[in-house]
Amino acid sequence: MANPKDTAFAYQSVYRYLVELIEASSAQGEQKLPSLRQLAQRLGVSVSTTKYAYSLLEDEGRVYARPKLGYFTRLIPAPLSTERSSNLLDQVFANSRQPGMLALSADVPAILLSLENPLLMIERELARHYPRALTPQYLPYGEPELRAALAERYTCSTDHYWQAGQVYIGADLHSVLELSLNALDLAGTVALVESPCSWAILRQLQAANIRVIELHLDADGRFDLHALNERLEHEPIRLAVLSSTVNIPHGSRMPSEDKQQICRWLAERDIWLFENDTYGDLYFATQPARYRDFADPQRLLVFSTFDKVIGSEAPYGYVLCRGCGPQLQRMFLERAFRLSPIRQKAIAKLFTSKRIDAHLHKLRALLHDCMIRMKNLLDQYARGAFEVMTPQGGACFWLAAMCPVDMRRVFEHLLVERIVIAPGELFSQQGSWKQHLRLSFTLDWSKDIAQAVEQLSQAIRQSP
């Protein structure tokens, strides 16, 4: 295996190493995997890089973490294959990370412009000023400076403000969402989500045994409010999970008056609102209204992560929540995250110095330029194959085939051409969006993207 330090994205090499390690094992039961530090020393990478690789495997369901014991493999019934009966999401993950594959399915905004090098420089500077002996080894809710920086960033008025004690930081987004659902006693309940919905959120809700009700977004990014009200009236919904600014992966913007009405209905019924702020800063034009601007503050939880904007060296997830503080504190104490205080301080410096704002300004401009570049290619090669809707932010297009098509066959056909797409059915638990796909524009543009788009268009037109 090539030295991970020689690659642009070290976590991909670490991920491939772990996959090969797992698949090469002759163990019949669960297998204990190397610790984060052991793996970092073995491969010559940072602990955050190994953590990010593990989080990818955890999201895929291949490994899981036992508090204070480390990572273990999960039993997988059968190896991944390209058979139509195998798990489509696993196929997308496995193939998109293979060398030589062009992953049109990827959704990694920081690939265009990351803050990893400045982050590591700040970390090294801080390490010289904060001797390890004086650094707390156990900060169960996250590093105080970072918690304060996030509280300040999310505070926008005397009516919408946060305190550092209402911010909780964990190893990754998966972990903090799992803890939050358990702390608020939402496992086994009913959730309302926008559809299409992030596959990661759908998997998280499924793991918590939560029944999901999907409410479809129309072409303008709006719900049928009458249908929504009917659902709220007749279903025992305890939780709504909605995108903060731009609907992800749909790419549309919910009007502020609709958000206000939805929040009013949720508050009347004492329903928790989980606002997904993962892409909240990645909008084009003016900043859209956020759900949290109108929500009941005692039934609001905002969740996000740093890696979409900063890069893989900042994999931590975080939540902001006023209500149920003791329950959240207990869960985070029991989970006992062991996160680098210096790395968290370095992330905090990116916020308090306002460097993150300058970075976001440049990143949004790059995303917009790449979106326009991809749209021009889609318009050029669509030829009646798919309908193109211009996204209002985020990192991808949501495309609809113009004629009935088996998108799985399109996916399998393009795999032969070493191209990976994300079929729309990944973004629904109920079999919706089979005529759609998510297409990223955060790509390696040194490759022949035009040819890939043309091959995609041909595959859609030729599929039965």
Side-chain angles (χ1 to χ4, degrees):
M1 187 183 88
N3 188 335
K5 292 186 291 187
D6 295 336
T7 66
F9 300 100
Y11 72 88
Q12 295 176 335
S13 296
V14 178
Y15 169 89
R16 288 195 293 271
Y17 172 84
L18 287 169
V19 169
E20 292 176 8
L21 182 68
I22 293 168
E23 293 179 348
S25 173
S26 59
Q28 298 299 310
E30 293 180 344
Q31 173 190 358
K32 189 177 188 310
L33 295 168
S35 71
L36 299 177
R37 197 165 301 281
Q38 287 172 339
L39 192 60
Q41 292 174 347
R42 183 183 302 176
L43 299 180
V45 296
S46 70
V47 173
S48 292
T49 297
T50 59
K51 172 61 189 170
Y52 194 69
Y54 268 126
S55 70
L56 294 174
L57 290 166
E58 195 170 15
D59 285 342
E60 295 170 22
R62 292 186 136 213
V63 306
Y64 71 99
R66 289 182 185 172
K68 302 181 182 179
L69 294 177
Y71 284 90
F72 293 80
T73 58
R74 288 189 187 275
L75 294 177
I76 298 178
L80 296 176
S81 71
T82 57
E83 295 296 324
R84 291 171 61 81
S85 60
S86 64
N87 184 282
L88 180 59
L89 182 59
D90 287 337
Q91 290 186 55
V92 171
F93 266 112
N95 286 285
S96 64
R97 296 191 175 97
Q98 292 298 316
M101 300 297 285
L102 176 55
L104 300 181
S105 59
D107 186 11
V108 189
I111 195 175
L112 300 178
L113 184 69
S114 81
L115 276 173
E116 292 182 4
N117 286 335
L119 175 67
L120 296 177
M121 289 177 62
I122 295 171
E123 183 178 17
R124 286 194 290 270
E125 181 69 20
L126 288 171
R128 287 196 291 269
H129 290 87
Y130 290 90
R132 189 170 298 276
L134 301 179
T135 302
Q137 295 299 311
Y138 183 45
L139 297 166
Y141 314 128
E143 205 284 326
E145 190 174 339
L146 181 54
R147 298 175 75 198
L150 288 172
E152 178 184 346
R153 185 170 185 80
Y154 277 85
T155 293
C156 58
S157 73
T158 55
D159 295 322
H160 301 94
Y161 65 89
W162 299 89
Q163 302 291 350
Q166 297 163 341
V167 181
Y168 304 86
I169 301 166
D172 51 33
L173 189 59
H174 171 86
S175 301
V176 297
L177 272 179
E178 180 183 25
L179 292 183
S180 299
L181 291 170
N182 289 329
L184 304 181
D185 197 26
L186 293 170
T189 62
V190 180
L192 175 78
V193 303
E194 62 202 3
S195 187
C197 180
S198 161
W199 62 263
I201 290 174
L202 292 175
R203 271 201 166 186
Q204 192 88 54
L205 297 175
Q206 185 179 33
N209 194 33
I210 291 175
R211 179 165 70 89
V212 171
I213 295 174
E214 299 179 6
L215 201 64
H216 287 204
L217 294 163
D218 65 18
D220 296 322
R222 306 181 71 174
F223 293 139
D224 180 336
L225 290 182
H226 175 74
L228 170 59
N229 194 34
E230 285 289 309
R231 288 285 197 171
L232 294 174
E233 287 284 349
H234 297 101
E235 294 279 4
I237 295 169
R238 292 274 311 282
L239 166 69
V241 185
L242 303 169
S243 298
S244 62
T245 55
V246 178
N247 302 318
I248 299 296
H250 197 255
S252 57
R253 292 169 57 149
M254 180 79 68
S256 60
E257 58 270 22
D258 288 18
K259 290 183 175 179
Q260 191 168 12
Q261 179 61 71
I262 292 166
C263 288
R264 189 179 300 121
W265 285 337
L266 296 179
E268 289 171 357
R269 295 165 175 82
D270 205 30
I271 296 172
W272 274 96
L273 170 61
F274 275 38
E275 185 184 58
N276 180 3
D277 203 40
T278 308
Y279 300 84
D281 286 317
L282 302 181
Y283 50 83
F284 306 143
T286 58
Q287 183 187 69
R290 291 81 52 100
Y291 281 99
R292 61 180 178 269
D293 298 332
F294 313 110
D296 175 1
Q298 295 302 315
R299 283 291 180 270
L300 169 67
L301 182 143
V302 182
F303 66 89
S304 189
T305 183
F306 302 106
D307 63 332
K308 297 295 183 186
V309 170
I310 296 177
S312 62
E313 291 290 343
Y316 309 132
Y318 62 88
V319 298
L320 298 93
C321 185
R322 289 183 183 85
C324 300
Q327 294 93 318
L328 280 165
Q329 291 171 13
R330 185 179 69 253
M331 285 291 177
F332 274 78
L333 277 170
E334 291 176 356
R335 181 61 175 83
F337 289 116
R338 301 282 180 170
L339 311 179
S340 166
I342 296 297
R343 176 62 55 86
Q344 292 179 77
K345 282 181 177 292
I347 296 172
K349 292 295 183 187
L350 294 175
F351 284 94
T352 56
S353 68
K354 306 301 181 183
R355 186 165 189 166
I356 194 76
D357 296 307
H359 172 74
L360 281 168
H361 180 75
K362 294 178 182 178
L363 180 57
R364 282 194 289 263
L366 282 173
L367 284 167
H368 187 264
D369 289 346
C370 289
M371 183 274 289
I372 295 298
R373 189 173 181 180
M374 178 62 84
K375 187 176 187 304
N376 290 337
L377 290 177
L378 293 171
D379 290 341
Q380 179 181 351
Y381 293 109
R383 299 171 187 166
F386 42 76
E387 182 180 3
V388 180
M389 180 180 72
T390 303
Q392 302 299 306
C396 59
F397 282 87
W398 185 251
L399 302 181
M402 299 292 286
C403 298
V405 61
D406 185 339
M407 202 61 73
R408 282 207 179 206
R409 286 194 180 276
V410 173
F411 168 77
E412 292 163 3
H413 173 81
L414 290 173
L415 281 185
V416 178
E417 305 296 331
R418 307 194 68 75
I419 297 170
V420 186
I421 62 169
E425 65 182 274
L426 293 176
F427 305 91
S428 169
Q429 278 190 358
Q430 297 158 10
S432 302
W433 311 111
K434 290 188 175 181
Q435 302 296 308
H436 296 72
L437 72 147
R438 187 189 74 179
L439 186 71
S440 173
F441 47 81
T442 55
L443 304 166
D444 180 356
W445 286 92
S446 66
K447 297 183 178 179
D448 194 347
I449 306 300
Q451 182 182 10
V453 172
E454 184 173 21
Q455 289 175 294
L456 168 63
S457 177
Q458 291 174 352
I460 290 176
R461 289 197 304 272
Q462 295 170 3
S463 181

